[in-house]
Amino acid sequence: GVPATPAIYRCSQPRPGLYWARSKADEKYLQIIGRSVNSKSSETKTVYILDCRPKANAIANLARGGGWESKSYYKNCSIDFLNIENIHVVRDSFKELKSLFDNLPSEKGRPAVIQGSTESSNVATNRY
């Protein structure tokens, strides 16, 4: 068979809020994605939803109208939280780490620069 090719179809979170409001359009969208990866069959494949936040942050966002996909409504979906504490800090840390590499004249000494950077600790402790 043809190997699976991962793809990002959307990069957002639903906004169910405290009352778990539904987005039937989003639910249907993910069902279509599940069927499209298996075009030779009517079987719907599992769609993997990766939420970068810790689940505790997603729970806290419920009060502000945010949240995450409910397994009750998103059939054939697997939802995993990646536990990245603050994705914006991680992004900024990665940019700073990259700039350290970009500004070095040669590869000699790079590990010492990385080890001395407190900003790089966010990148080092998170797996991508």
Side-chain angles (χ1 to χ4, degrees):
V2 178
T5 303
I8 296 175
Y9 292 97
R10 68 174 167 83
C11 197
S12 63
Q13 66 177 342
R15 305 198 47 82
L18 290 173
Y19 300 106
W20 287 99
R22 294 176 70 174
S23 171
K24 292 194 180 218
D26 193 51
E27 293 167 31
K28 180 75 173 171
Y29 178 58
L30 290 176
Q31 281 181 348
I32 291 168
I33 291 169
R35 282 195 297 266
S36 70
V37 298
N38 193 23
S39 60
K40 294 183 180 180
S41 169
S42 61
E43 175 188 353
T44 301
K45 293 286 187 179
T46 300
V47 174
Y48 296 94
I49 299 170
L50 304 175
D51 193 317
C52 290
R53 305 169 291 172
K55 190 167 186 179
N57 293 15
I59 291 169
N61 284 342
L62 284 172
R64 295 185 301 198
W68 66 94
E69 295 81 358
S70 168
K71 288 185 181 182
S72 299
Y73 303 140
Y74 287 80
K75 305 294 183 194
N76 295 62
C77 288
S78 170
I79 303 165
D80 292 308
F81 290 90
L82 301 181
N83 296 315
I84 298 175
E85 287 298 325
N86 186 329
I87 193 68
H88 306 292
V89 172
V90 172
R91 180 191 60 235
D92 293 343
S93 296
F94 180 77
K95 285 179 183 177
E96 183 155 340
L97 182 62
K98 183 181 179 310
S99 74
L100 289 172
F101 277 108
D102 292 343
N103 293 321
L104 289 175
S106 69
E107 291 194 24
K108 187 175 182 180
R110 285 186 182 178
V113 171
I114 294 171
Q115 290 171 0
S117 171
T118 57
E119 290 79 14
S120 69
S121 64
N122 287 314
V123 174
T125 58
N126 289 293
R127 287 181 261 166
Y128 295 98

